[in-house]
Amino acid sequence: GNSVTQMEGPVTLSEEAFLTINCTYTATGYPSLFWYVQYPGEGLQLLLKATKADDKGSNKGFEATYRKETTSFHLEKGSVQVSDSAVYFCALRGSARQLTFGSGTQLTVLP
Amino acid sequence: NAGVTQTPKFQVLKTGQSMTLQCAQDMNHNSMYWYRQDPGMGLRLIYYSASEGTTDKGEVPNGYNVSRLNKREFSLRLESAAPSQTSVYFCASKDPGDEQYFGPGTRLTVT
């Protein structure tokens, strides 16, 4: 079946540091890949997505590139802000059209 | 336009009690979902409804029932709550482009 493995947290960074959260996946066929963000006390929001190999999703300074050769979709941001503190989930959508989520990575950014 | 709303926000039950979690969306989406979120495990799909009048089991359906009351509303019922059902429950709806929109969640504790 499909699965998503995410970098274990929590991750603590200083403001303006570079962020990488690793995500790898296992799936048959050609899944679509997503990053969701969950701010404290709220539901998940779609952050970015990529639907085919070599696509780059980007939003709010975050980027992730769909790498089929390494089955990865790592999330990056060049300069994090305190307001980026949240839980980040990597997810895939396979042929059954359902989402499979990773376990989430808690990010805390200190001023 | 409220998006996806869930009630209640918090609930404490004793083992064996029953309750219904309510979810409504005002985006005219056909598909709706119920997930549970447990520490270190990401979100897991309990049930989903591809359209009004249809429901299907997800990854972890045991101990739950659902009702798709109409296009707007999708409720989740626990007939006899167990401590293993202590979790945060999220409802979501999906737009025609396959993007899912999540509600703010219900935090349930079963003692």
PDB file of all heavy atoms in Angstrom, chain A residues 34 36 38 41-46 49 87 89 93 97-99 101-104, chain B residues 33 35 37 40-43 45 48 90 94 97-105:
ATOM      1  N   PHE A  34       1.688  16.387  -1.701  1.00  0.00           N
ATOM      2  CA  PHE A  34       1.183  17.587  -1.037  1.00  0.00           C
ATOM      3  C   PHE A  34       1.974  17.871   0.238  1.00  0.00           C
ATOM      4  O   PHE A  34       2.480  16.960   0.889  1.00  0.00           O
ATOM      5  CB  PHE A  34      -0.288  17.394  -0.617  1.00  0.00           C
ATOM      6  CG  PHE A  34      -1.205  17.019  -1.737  1.00  0.00           C
ATOM      7  CD1 PHE A  34      -1.314  15.699  -2.146  1.00  0.00           C
ATOM      8  CD2 PHE A  34      -1.967  17.972  -2.373  1.00  0.00           C
ATOM      9  CE1 PHE A  34      -2.161  15.332  -3.185  1.00  0.00           C
ATOM     10  CE2 PHE A  34      -2.826  17.627  -3.410  1.00  0.00           C
ATOM     11  CZ  PHE A  34      -2.913  16.309  -3.812  1.00  0.00           C
ATOM     12  N   TYR A  36       0.792  19.922   3.723  1.00  0.00           N
ATOM     13  CA  TYR A  36      -0.242  20.627   4.477  1.00  0.00           C
ATOM     14  C   TYR A  36       0.397  21.250   5.711  1.00  0.00           C
ATOM     15  O   TYR A  36       1.360  20.707   6.275  1.00  0.00           O
ATOM     16  CB  TYR A  36      -1.347  19.673   4.923  1.00  0.00           C
ATOM     17  CG  TYR A  36      -2.322  19.293   3.845  1.00  0.00           C
ATOM     18  CD1 TYR A  36      -2.044  18.263   2.953  1.00  0.00           C
ATOM     19  CD2 TYR A  36      -3.539  19.964   3.705  1.00  0.00           C
ATOM     20  CE1 TYR A  36      -2.943  17.909   1.962  1.00  0.00           C
ATOM     21  CE2 TYR A  36      -4.445  19.623   2.724  1.00  0.00           C
ATOM     22  CZ  TYR A  36      -4.142  18.597   1.853  1.00  0.00           C
ATOM     23  OH  TYR A  36      -5.040  18.252   0.879  1.00  0.00           O
ATOM     24  N   GLN A  38      -0.591  22.878   9.645  1.00  0.00           N
ATOM     25  CA  GLN A  38      -1.611  22.963  10.700  1.00  0.00           C
ATOM     26  C   GLN A  38      -1.121  23.932  11.763  1.00  0.00           C
ATOM     27  O   GLN A  38      -0.174  23.620  12.505  1.00  0.00           O
ATOM     28  CB  GLN A  38      -1.879  21.593  11.309  1.00  0.00           C
ATOM     29  CG  GLN A  38      -2.968  21.586  12.357  1.00  0.00           C
ATOM     30  CD  GLN A  38      -3.179  20.208  12.958  1.00  0.00           C
ATOM     31  OE1 GLN A  38      -2.271  19.396  13.058  1.00  0.00           O
ATOM     32  NE2 GLN A  38      -4.407  19.934  13.365  1.00  0.00           N
ATOM     33  N   GLY A  41      -4.449  24.856  17.042  1.00  0.00           N
ATOM     34  CA  GLY A  41      -5.883  24.953  17.226  1.00  0.00           C
ATOM     35  C   GLY A  41      -6.702  24.980  15.955  1.00  0.00           C
ATOM     36  O   GLY A  41      -7.920  25.205  16.006  1.00  0.00           O
ATOM     37  N   GLU A  42      -6.071  24.761  14.815  1.00  0.00           N
ATOM     38  CA  GLU A  42      -6.788  24.846  13.541  1.00  0.00           C
ATOM     39  C   GLU A  42      -6.710  23.528  12.779  1.00  0.00           C
ATOM     40  O   GLU A  42      -5.955  22.626  13.125  1.00  0.00           O
ATOM     41  CB  GLU A  42      -6.202  25.961  12.678  1.00  0.00           C
ATOM     42  CG  GLU A  42      -6.322  27.351  13.301  1.00  0.00           C
ATOM     43  CD  GLU A  42      -5.795  28.431  12.381  1.00  0.00           C
ATOM     44  OE1 GLU A  42      -5.559  28.154  11.187  1.00  0.00           O
ATOM     45  OE2 GLU A  42      -5.625  29.561  12.872  1.00  0.00           O
ATOM     46  N   GLY A  43      -7.503  23.430  11.716  1.00  0.00           N
ATOM     47  CA  GLY A  43      -7.426  22.285  10.825  1.00  0.00           C
ATOM     48  C   GLY A  43      -6.278  22.441   9.844  1.00  0.00           C
ATOM     49  O   GLY A  43      -5.583  23.446   9.827  1.00  0.00           O
ATOM     50  N   LEU A  44      -6.089  21.415   9.027  1.00  0.00           N
ATOM     51  CA  LEU A  44      -5.008  21.438   8.046  1.00  0.00           C
ATOM     52  C   LEU A  44      -5.365  22.366   6.884  1.00  0.00           C
ATOM     53  O   LEU A  44      -6.520  22.446   6.465  1.00  0.00           O
ATOM     54  CB  LEU A  44      -4.753  20.028   7.498  1.00  0.00           C
ATOM     55  CG  LEU A  44      -3.915  19.102   8.347  1.00  0.00           C
ATOM     56  CD1 LEU A  44      -4.637  18.670   9.599  1.00  0.00           C
ATOM     57  CD2 LEU A  44      -3.489  17.874   7.527  1.00  0.00           C
ATOM     58  N   GLN A  45      -4.326  23.026   6.350  1.00  0.00           N
ATOM     59  CA  GLN A  45      -4.489  23.858   5.155  1.00  0.00           C
ATOM     60  C   GLN A  45      -3.477  23.386   4.122  1.00  0.00           C
ATOM     61  O   GLN A  45      -2.337  23.091   4.459  1.00  0.00           O
ATOM     62  CB  GLN A  45      -4.202  25.325   5.462  1.00  0.00           C
ATOM     63  CG  GLN A  45      -5.030  25.934   6.559  1.00  0.00           C
ATOM     64  CD  GLN A  45      -4.549  27.327   6.906  1.00  0.00           C
ATOM     65  OE1 GLN A  45      -3.930  28.016   6.082  1.00  0.00           O
ATOM     66  NE2 GLN A  45      -4.825  27.761   8.116  1.00  0.00           N
ATOM     67  N   LEU A  46      -3.902  23.346   2.879  1.00  0.00           N
ATOM     68  CA  LEU A  46      -2.972  22.988   1.821  1.00  0.00           C
ATOM     69  C   LEU A  46      -1.918  24.078   1.670  1.00  0.00           C
ATOM     70  O   LEU A  46      -2.246  25.259   1.512  1.00  0.00           O
ATOM     71  CB  LEU A  46      -3.724  22.805   0.500  1.00  0.00           C
ATOM     72  CG  LEU A  46      -2.864  22.432  -0.698  1.00  0.00           C
ATOM     73  CD1 LEU A  46      -2.220  21.068  -0.490  1.00  0.00           C
ATOM     74  CD2 LEU A  46      -3.704  22.436  -1.974  1.00  0.00           C
ATOM     75  N   LYS A  49       1.508  21.816  -3.655  1.00  0.00           N
ATOM     76  CA  LYS A  49       1.332  20.492  -4.226  1.00  0.00           C
ATOM     77  C   LYS A  49       2.113  20.358  -5.528  1.00  0.00           C
ATOM     78  O   LYS A  49       2.514  21.365  -6.137  1.00  0.00           O
ATOM     79  CB  LYS A  49      -0.141  20.193  -4.466  1.00  0.00           C
ATOM     80  CG  LYS A  49      -0.775  21.053  -5.543  1.00  0.00           C
ATOM     81  CD  LYS A  49      -2.242  20.680  -5.726  1.00  0.00           C
ATOM     82  CE  LYS A  49      -2.887  21.534  -6.809  1.00  0.00           C
ATOM     83  NZ  LYS A  49      -4.345  21.229  -6.951  1.00  0.00           N
ATOM     84  N   VAL A  87       2.646  22.639  12.569  1.00  0.00           N
ATOM     85  CA  VAL A  87       2.944  21.249  12.234  1.00  0.00           C
ATOM     86  C   VAL A  87       2.777  21.080  10.732  1.00  0.00           C
ATOM     87  O   VAL A  87       1.779  21.527  10.163  1.00  0.00           O
ATOM     88  CB  VAL A  87       2.023  20.263  12.981  1.00  0.00           C
ATOM     89  CG1 VAL A  87       2.380  18.821  12.627  1.00  0.00           C
ATOM     90  CG2 VAL A  87       2.115  20.478  14.484  1.00  0.00           C
ATOM     91  N   PHE A  89       2.634  18.508   7.413  1.00  0.00           N
ATOM     92  CA  PHE A  89       2.330  17.134   7.012  1.00  0.00           C
ATOM     93  C   PHE A  89       2.603  16.961   5.521  1.00  0.00           C
ATOM     94  O   PHE A  89       2.103  17.735   4.699  1.00  0.00           O
ATOM     95  CB  PHE A  89       0.856  16.806   7.250  1.00  0.00           C
ATOM     96  CG  PHE A  89       0.459  16.722   8.688  1.00  0.00           C
ATOM     97  CD1 PHE A  89      -0.030  17.830   9.356  1.00  0.00           C
ATOM     98  CD2 PHE A  89       0.557  15.517   9.378  1.00  0.00           C
ATOM     99  CE1 PHE A  89      -0.410  17.751  10.684  1.00  0.00           C
ATOM    100  CE2 PHE A  89       0.184  15.430  10.701  1.00  0.00           C
ATOM    101  CZ  PHE A  89      -0.299  16.554  11.361  1.00  0.00           C
ATOM    102  N   ARG A  93      -1.578  11.416  -2.815  1.00  0.00           N
ATOM    103  CA  ARG A  93      -2.866  10.941  -3.298  1.00  0.00           C
ATOM    104  C   ARG A  93      -2.594   9.953  -4.408  1.00  0.00           C
ATOM    105  O   ARG A  93      -2.018  10.299  -5.432  1.00  0.00           O
ATOM    106  CB  ARG A  93      -3.744  12.081  -3.798  1.00  0.00           C
ATOM    107  CG  ARG A  93      -5.146  11.629  -4.199  1.00  0.00           C
ATOM    108  CD  ARG A  93      -5.995  12.783  -4.672  1.00  0.00           C
ATOM    109  NE  ARG A  93      -5.473  13.361  -5.890  1.00  0.00           N
ATOM    110  CZ  ARG A  93      -5.314  14.672  -6.073  1.00  0.00           C
ATOM    111  NH1 ARG A  93      -5.621  15.518  -5.105  1.00  0.00           N
ATOM    112  NH2 ARG A  93      -4.852  15.131  -7.217  1.00  0.00           N
ATOM    113  N   ARG A  97      -7.496   7.821  -5.121  1.00  0.00           N
ATOM    114  CA  ARG A  97      -7.916   9.219  -4.900  1.00  0.00           C
ATOM    115  C   ARG A  97      -8.042   9.587  -3.428  1.00  0.00           C
ATOM    116  O   ARG A  97      -8.639  10.606  -3.101  1.00  0.00           O
ATOM    117  CB  ARG A  97      -9.244   9.540  -5.613  1.00  0.00           C
ATOM    118  CG  ARG A  97      -9.373   9.034  -7.032  1.00  0.00           C
ATOM    119  CD  ARG A  97      -8.275   9.504  -7.916  1.00  0.00           C
ATOM    120  NE  ARG A  97      -8.283  10.937  -8.112  1.00  0.00           N
ATOM    121  CZ  ARG A  97      -7.331  11.604  -8.742  1.00  0.00           C
ATOM    122  NH1 ARG A  97      -6.291  10.956  -9.220  1.00  0.00           N
ATOM    123  NH2 ARG A  97      -7.413  12.901  -8.891  1.00  0.00           N
ATOM    124  N   GLN A  98      -7.494   8.753  -2.530  1.00  0.00           N
ATOM    125  CA  GLN A  98      -7.534   9.107  -1.113  1.00  0.00           C
ATOM    126  C   GLN A  98      -6.167   9.621  -0.688  1.00  0.00           C
ATOM    127  O   GLN A  98      -5.136   9.251  -1.244  1.00  0.00           O
ATOM    128  CB  GLN A  98      -7.897   7.881  -0.263  1.00  0.00           C
ATOM    129  CG  GLN A  98      -9.160   7.166  -0.676  1.00  0.00           C
ATOM    130  CD  GLN A  98     -10.370   8.053  -0.636  1.00  0.00           C
ATOM    131  OE1 GLN A  98     -10.370   9.118  -0.037  1.00  0.00           O
ATOM    132  NE2 GLN A  98     -11.443   7.624  -1.285  1.00  0.00           N
ATOM    133  N   LEU A  99      -6.158  10.456   0.339  1.00  0.00           N
ATOM    134  CA  LEU A  99      -4.913  10.995   0.860  1.00  0.00           C
ATOM    135  C   LEU A  99      -4.305  10.062   1.898  1.00  0.00           C
ATOM    136  O   LEU A  99      -5.007   9.538   2.756  1.00  0.00           O
ATOM    137  CB  LEU A  99      -5.154  12.354   1.515  1.00  0.00           C
ATOM    138  CG  LEU A  99      -5.430  13.541   0.576  1.00  0.00           C
ATOM    139  CD1 LEU A  99      -5.812  14.762   1.380  1.00  0.00           C
ATOM    140  CD2 LEU A  99      -4.214  13.823  -0.292  1.00  0.00           C
ATOM    141  N   PHE A 101      -1.256  10.323   4.745  1.00  0.00           N
ATOM    142  CA  PHE A 101      -0.467  11.352   5.408  1.00  0.00           C
ATOM    143  C   PHE A 101       0.764  10.769   6.097  1.00  0.00           C
ATOM    144  O   PHE A 101       0.748   9.633   6.591  1.00  0.00           O
ATOM    145  CB  PHE A 101      -1.307  12.061   6.479  1.00  0.00           C
ATOM    146  CG  PHE A 101      -2.364  12.964   5.927  1.00  0.00           C
ATOM    147  CD1 PHE A 101      -3.624  12.472   5.627  1.00  0.00           C
ATOM    148  CD2 PHE A 101      -2.106  14.311   5.724  1.00  0.00           C
ATOM    149  CE1 PHE A 101      -4.616  13.305   5.120  1.00  0.00           C
ATOM    150  CE2 PHE A 101      -3.091  15.154   5.228  1.00  0.00           C
ATOM    151  CZ  PHE A 101      -4.343  14.654   4.922  1.00  0.00           C
ATOM    152  N   GLY A 102       1.799  11.589   6.173  1.00  0.00           N
ATOM    153  CA  GLY A 102       2.912  11.291   7.053  1.00  0.00           C
ATOM    154  C   GLY A 102       2.541  11.661   8.478  1.00  0.00           C
ATOM    155  O   GLY A 102       1.446  12.173   8.746  1.00  0.00           O
ATOM    156  N   SER A 103       3.457  11.415   9.398  1.00  0.00           N
ATOM    157  CA  SER A 103       3.153  11.580  10.824  1.00  0.00           C
ATOM    158  C   SER A 103       3.248  13.024  11.300  1.00  0.00           C
ATOM    159  O   SER A 103       2.871  13.312  12.431  1.00  0.00           O
ATOM    160  CB  SER A 103       4.091  10.707  11.655  1.00  0.00           C
ATOM    161  OG  SER A 103       5.435  11.034  11.367  1.00  0.00           O
ATOM    162  N   GLY A 104       3.713  13.923  10.467  1.00  0.00           N
ATOM    163  CA  GLY A 104       3.765  15.335  10.849  1.00  0.00           C
ATOM    164  C   GLY A 104       5.084  15.717  11.495  1.00  0.00           C
ATOM    165  O   GLY A 104       5.715  14.901  12.179  1.00  0.00           O
TER     166      GLY A 104
ATOM    167  N   TYR B  33     -15.228  13.765   4.212  1.00  0.00           N
ATOM    168  CA  TYR B  33     -14.350  12.802   4.864  1.00  0.00           C
ATOM    169  C   TYR B  33     -14.331  13.009   6.379  1.00  0.00           C
ATOM    170  O   TYR B  33     -14.460  14.140   6.845  1.00  0.00           O
ATOM    171  CB  TYR B  33     -12.912  12.988   4.356  1.00  0.00           C
ATOM    172  CG  TYR B  33     -12.758  12.852   2.864  1.00  0.00           C
ATOM    173  CD1 TYR B  33     -13.080  13.912   2.014  1.00  0.00           C
ATOM    174  CD2 TYR B  33     -12.300  11.671   2.299  1.00  0.00           C
ATOM    175  CE1 TYR B  33     -12.962  13.786   0.650  1.00  0.00           C
ATOM    176  CE2 TYR B  33     -12.171  11.543   0.922  1.00  0.00           C
ATOM    177  CZ  TYR B  33     -12.507  12.609   0.115  1.00  0.00           C
ATOM    178  OH  TYR B  33     -12.384  12.482  -1.240  1.00  0.00           O
ATOM    179  N   TYR B  35     -11.550  12.051   9.460  1.00  0.00           N
ATOM    180  CA  TYR B  35     -10.231  11.556   9.835  1.00  0.00           C
ATOM    181  C   TYR B  35     -10.078  11.613  11.343  1.00  0.00           C
ATOM    182  O   TYR B  35     -10.712  12.424  12.015  1.00  0.00           O
ATOM    183  CB  TYR B  35      -9.122  12.449   9.255  1.00  0.00           C
ATOM    184  CG  TYR B  35      -8.992  12.485   7.756  1.00  0.00           C
ATOM    185  CD1 TYR B  35      -9.697  13.415   6.996  1.00  0.00           C
ATOM    186  CD2 TYR B  35      -8.128  11.616   7.095  1.00  0.00           C
ATOM    187  CE1 TYR B  35      -9.558  13.477   5.618  1.00  0.00           C
ATOM    188  CE2 TYR B  35      -7.979  11.664   5.717  1.00  0.00           C
ATOM    189  CZ  TYR B  35      -8.697  12.599   4.990  1.00  0.00           C
ATOM    190  OH  TYR B  35      -8.543  12.661   3.626  1.00  0.00           O
ATOM    191  N   GLN B  37      -6.784  12.056  14.150  1.00  0.00           N
ATOM    192  CA  GLN B  37      -5.370  12.435  14.235  1.00  0.00           C
ATOM    193  C   GLN B  37      -4.850  12.045  15.603  1.00  0.00           C
ATOM    194  O   GLN B  37      -5.337  12.531  16.631  1.00  0.00           O
ATOM    195  CB  GLN B  37      -5.194  13.950  14.045  1.00  0.00           C
ATOM    196  CG  GLN B  37      -3.751  14.392  14.076  1.00  0.00           C
ATOM    197  CD  GLN B  37      -3.592  15.894  13.976  1.00  0.00           C
ATOM    198  OE1 GLN B  37      -4.473  16.661  14.370  1.00  0.00           O
ATOM    199  NE2 GLN B  37      -2.484  16.343  13.418  1.00  0.00           N
ATOM    200  N   GLY B  40       1.978  11.319  16.497  1.00  0.00           N
ATOM    201  CA  GLY B  40       2.964  10.507  15.790  1.00  0.00           C
ATOM    202  C   GLY B  40       2.409   9.670  14.665  1.00  0.00           C
ATOM    203  O   GLY B  40       3.144   8.854  14.093  1.00  0.00           O
ATOM    204  N   MET B  41       1.121   9.843  14.320  1.00  0.00           N
ATOM    205  CA  MET B  41       0.539   8.960  13.303  1.00  0.00           C
ATOM    206  C   MET B  41      -0.107   9.707  12.150  1.00  0.00           C
ATOM    207  O   MET B  41      -0.706   9.091  11.295  1.00  0.00           O
ATOM    208  CB  MET B  41      -0.499   8.041  13.932  1.00  0.00           C
ATOM    209  CG  MET B  41       0.094   7.130  14.990  1.00  0.00           C
ATOM    210  SD  MET B  41      -1.073   5.912  15.563  1.00  0.00           S
ATOM    211  CE  MET B  41      -1.116   4.834  14.155  1.00  0.00           C
ATOM    212  N   GLY B  42      -0.020  11.017  12.127  1.00  0.00           N
ATOM    213  CA  GLY B  42      -0.647  11.739  11.039  1.00  0.00           C
ATOM    214  C   GLY B  42      -2.162  11.587  11.097  1.00  0.00           C
ATOM    215  O   GLY B  42      -2.743  11.276  12.137  1.00  0.00           O
ATOM    216  N   LEU B  43      -2.827  11.771   9.978  1.00  0.00           N
ATOM    217  CA  LEU B  43      -4.279  11.613   9.902  1.00  0.00           C
ATOM    218  C   LEU B  43      -4.607  10.283   9.258  1.00  0.00           C
ATOM    219  O   LEU B  43      -3.976   9.896   8.262  1.00  0.00           O
ATOM    220  CB  LEU B  43      -4.897  12.734   9.053  1.00  0.00           C
ATOM    221  CG  LEU B  43      -5.227  14.034   9.762  1.00  0.00           C
ATOM    222  CD1 LEU B  43      -3.964  14.783  10.120  1.00  0.00           C
ATOM    223  CD2 LEU B  43      -6.133  14.892   8.908  1.00  0.00           C
ATOM    224  N   LEU B  45      -7.899   7.943   7.712  1.00  0.00           N
ATOM    225  CA  LEU B  45      -9.254   8.069   7.209  1.00  0.00           C
ATOM    226  C   LEU B  45     -10.174   7.070   7.892  1.00  0.00           C
ATOM    227  O   LEU B  45      -9.899   5.861   7.904  1.00  0.00           O
ATOM    228  CB  LEU B  45      -9.260   7.850   5.695  1.00  0.00           C
ATOM    229  CG  LEU B  45     -10.590   8.003   4.977  1.00  0.00           C
ATOM    230  CD1 LEU B  45     -11.106   9.435   5.092  1.00  0.00           C
ATOM    231  CD2 LEU B  45     -10.436   7.608   3.516  1.00  0.00           C
ATOM    232  N   TYR B  48     -15.602   7.931   4.403  1.00  0.00           N
ATOM    233  CA  TYR B  48     -15.796   9.025   3.467  1.00  0.00           C
ATOM    234  C   TYR B  48     -17.112   8.833   2.721  1.00  0.00           C
ATOM    235  O   TYR B  48     -17.701   7.745   2.737  1.00  0.00           O
ATOM    236  CB  TYR B  48     -14.625   9.161   2.500  1.00  0.00           C
ATOM    237  CG  TYR B  48     -14.435   8.013   1.541  1.00  0.00           C
ATOM    238  CD1 TYR B  48     -14.886   8.095   0.227  1.00  0.00           C
ATOM    239  CD2 TYR B  48     -13.764   6.856   1.926  1.00  0.00           C
ATOM    240  CE1 TYR B  48     -14.698   7.052  -0.660  1.00  0.00           C
ATOM    241  CE2 TYR B  48     -13.572   5.810   1.049  1.00  0.00           C
ATOM    242  CZ  TYR B  48     -14.036   5.914  -0.234  1.00  0.00           C
ATOM    243  OH  TYR B  48     -13.845   4.870  -1.113  1.00  0.00           O
ATOM    244  N   PHE B  90     -11.139  15.228  12.535  1.00  0.00           N
ATOM    245  CA  PHE B  90     -11.259  16.262  11.518  1.00  0.00           C
ATOM    246  C   PHE B  90     -12.214  15.811  10.429  1.00  0.00           C
ATOM    247  O   PHE B  90     -12.147  14.679   9.939  1.00  0.00           O
ATOM    248  CB  PHE B  90      -9.905  16.571  10.888  1.00  0.00           C
ATOM    249  CG  PHE B  90      -8.976  17.321  11.782  1.00  0.00           C
ATOM    250  CD1 PHE B  90      -7.975  16.658  12.473  1.00  0.00           C
ATOM    251  CD2 PHE B  90      -9.106  18.689  11.938  1.00  0.00           C
ATOM    252  CE1 PHE B  90      -7.126  17.348  13.315  1.00  0.00           C
ATOM    253  CE2 PHE B  90      -8.255  19.389  12.776  1.00  0.00           C
ATOM    254  CZ  PHE B  90      -7.260  18.710  13.468  1.00  0.00           C
ATOM    255  N   LYS B  94     -14.071  17.965  -0.307  1.00  0.00           N
ATOM    256  CA  LYS B  94     -13.150  18.025  -1.437  1.00  0.00           C
ATOM    257  C   LYS B  94     -13.798  18.733  -2.608  1.00  0.00           C
ATOM    258  O   LYS B  94     -14.943  18.443  -2.970  1.00  0.00           O
ATOM    259  CB  LYS B  94     -12.742  16.612  -1.838  1.00  0.00           C
ATOM    260  CG  LYS B  94     -11.657  16.560  -2.888  1.00  0.00           C
ATOM    261  CD  LYS B  94     -11.177  15.130  -3.125  1.00  0.00           C
ATOM    262  CE  LYS B  94     -12.197  14.306  -3.876  1.00  0.00           C
ATOM    263  NZ  LYS B  94     -11.644  12.998  -4.302  1.00  0.00           N
ATOM    264  N   GLY B  97     -11.427  19.962  -8.009  1.00  0.00           N
ATOM    265  CA  GLY B  97     -10.010  19.850  -8.357  1.00  0.00           C
ATOM    266  C   GLY B  97      -9.234  18.937  -7.426  1.00  0.00           C
ATOM    267  O   GLY B  97      -8.010  18.869  -7.479  1.00  0.00           O
ATOM    268  N   ASP B  98      -9.955  18.215  -6.562  1.00  0.00           N
ATOM    269  CA  ASP B  98      -9.362  17.245  -5.631  1.00  0.00           C
ATOM    270  C   ASP B  98      -8.682  17.871  -4.423  1.00  0.00           C
ATOM    271  O   ASP B  98      -7.992  17.174  -3.680  1.00  0.00           O
ATOM    272  CB  ASP B  98      -8.359  16.308  -6.339  1.00  0.00           C
ATOM    273  CG  ASP B  98      -9.014  15.009  -6.768  1.00  0.00           C
ATOM    274  OD1 ASP B  98     -10.166  14.755  -6.354  1.00  0.00           O
ATOM    275  OD2 ASP B  98      -8.376  14.247  -7.509  1.00  0.00           O
ATOM    276  N   GLU B  99      -8.836  19.167  -4.185  1.00  0.00           N
ATOM    277  CA  GLU B  99      -8.263  19.768  -2.985  1.00  0.00           C
ATOM    278  C   GLU B  99      -9.216  19.586  -1.816  1.00  0.00           C
ATOM    279  O   GLU B  99     -10.415  19.837  -1.944  1.00  0.00           O
ATOM    280  CB  GLU B  99      -7.997  21.255  -3.181  1.00  0.00           C
ATOM    281  CG  GLU B  99      -7.400  21.914  -1.941  1.00  0.00           C
ATOM    282  CD  GLU B  99      -6.961  23.335  -2.151  1.00  0.00           C
ATOM    283  OE1 GLU B  99      -6.786  23.742  -3.313  1.00  0.00           O
ATOM    284  OE2 GLU B  99      -6.790  24.044  -1.137  1.00  0.00           O
ATOM    285  N   GLN B 100      -8.665  19.144  -0.676  1.00  0.00           N
ATOM    286  CA  GLN B 100      -9.489  18.947   0.512  1.00  0.00           C
ATOM    287  C   GLN B 100      -9.374  20.152   1.442  1.00  0.00           C
ATOM    288  O   GLN B 100      -8.306  20.715   1.632  1.00  0.00           O
ATOM    289  CB  GLN B 100      -9.058  17.673   1.259  1.00  0.00           C
ATOM    290  CG  GLN B 100      -9.383  16.407   0.479  1.00  0.00           C
ATOM    291  CD  GLN B 100      -9.309  15.142   1.301  1.00  0.00           C
ATOM    292  OE1 GLN B 100      -9.397  15.165   2.526  1.00  0.00           O
ATOM    293  NE2 GLN B 100      -9.164  14.009   0.619  1.00  0.00           N
ATOM    294  N   TYR B 101     -10.534  20.508   2.031  1.00  0.00           N
ATOM    295  CA  TYR B 101     -10.631  21.621   2.968  1.00  0.00           C
ATOM    296  C   TYR B 101     -11.048  21.044   4.314  1.00  0.00           C
ATOM    297  O   TYR B 101     -12.040  20.322   4.401  1.00  0.00           O
ATOM    298  CB  TYR B 101     -11.676  22.633   2.490  1.00  0.00           C
ATOM    299  CG  TYR B 101     -11.310  23.294   1.190  1.00  0.00           C
ATOM    300  CD1 TYR B 101     -11.509  22.629  -0.020  1.00  0.00           C
ATOM    301  CD2 TYR B 101     -10.746  24.557   1.164  1.00  0.00           C
ATOM    302  CE1 TYR B 101     -11.152  23.217  -1.223  1.00  0.00           C
ATOM    303  CE2 TYR B 101     -10.397  25.162  -0.040  1.00  0.00           C
ATOM    304  CZ  TYR B 101     -10.608  24.484  -1.218  1.00  0.00           C
ATOM    305  OH  TYR B 101     -10.251  25.069  -2.413  1.00  0.00           O
ATOM    306  N   PHE B 102     -10.286  21.385   5.346  1.00  0.00           N
ATOM    307  CA  PHE B 102     -10.487  20.771   6.655  1.00  0.00           C
ATOM    308  C   PHE B 102     -11.196  21.712   7.618  1.00  0.00           C
ATOM    309  O   PHE B 102     -10.979  22.930   7.596  1.00  0.00           O
ATOM    310  CB  PHE B 102      -9.135  20.377   7.256  1.00  0.00           C
ATOM    311  CG  PHE B 102      -8.510  19.198   6.570  1.00  0.00           C
ATOM    312  CD1 PHE B 102      -7.819  19.356   5.379  1.00  0.00           C
ATOM    313  CD2 PHE B 102      -8.616  17.926   7.113  1.00  0.00           C
ATOM    314  CE1 PHE B 102      -7.249  18.265   4.729  1.00  0.00           C
ATOM    315  CE2 PHE B 102      -8.041  16.828   6.477  1.00  0.00           C
ATOM    316  CZ  PHE B 102      -7.365  17.003   5.287  1.00  0.00           C
ATOM    317  N   GLY B 103     -12.007  21.109   8.487  1.00  0.00           N
ATOM    318  CA  GLY B 103     -12.591  21.841   9.591  1.00  0.00           C
ATOM    319  C   GLY B 103     -11.598  22.013  10.718  1.00  0.00           C
ATOM    320  O   GLY B 103     -10.485  21.492  10.657  1.00  0.00           O
ATOM    321  N   PRO B 104     -11.987  22.723  11.787  1.00  0.00           N
ATOM    322  CA  PRO B 104     -11.058  23.027  12.888  1.00  0.00           C
ATOM    323  C   PRO B 104     -10.832  21.876  13.848  1.00  0.00           C
ATOM    324  O   PRO B 104      -9.944  21.958  14.697  1.00  0.00           O
ATOM    325  CB  PRO B 104     -11.747  24.200  13.599  1.00  0.00           C
ATOM    326  CG  PRO B 104     -13.195  24.004  13.313  1.00  0.00           C
ATOM    327  CD  PRO B 104     -13.270  23.413  11.939  1.00  0.00           C
ATOM    328  N   GLY B 105     -11.622  20.815  13.755  1.00  0.00           N
ATOM    329  CA  GLY B 105     -11.394  19.642  14.582  1.00  0.00           C
ATOM    330  C   GLY B 105     -12.244  19.584  15.838  1.00  0.00           C
ATOM    331  O   GLY B 105     -12.714  20.595  16.343  1.00  0.00           O
TER     332      GLY B 105
END
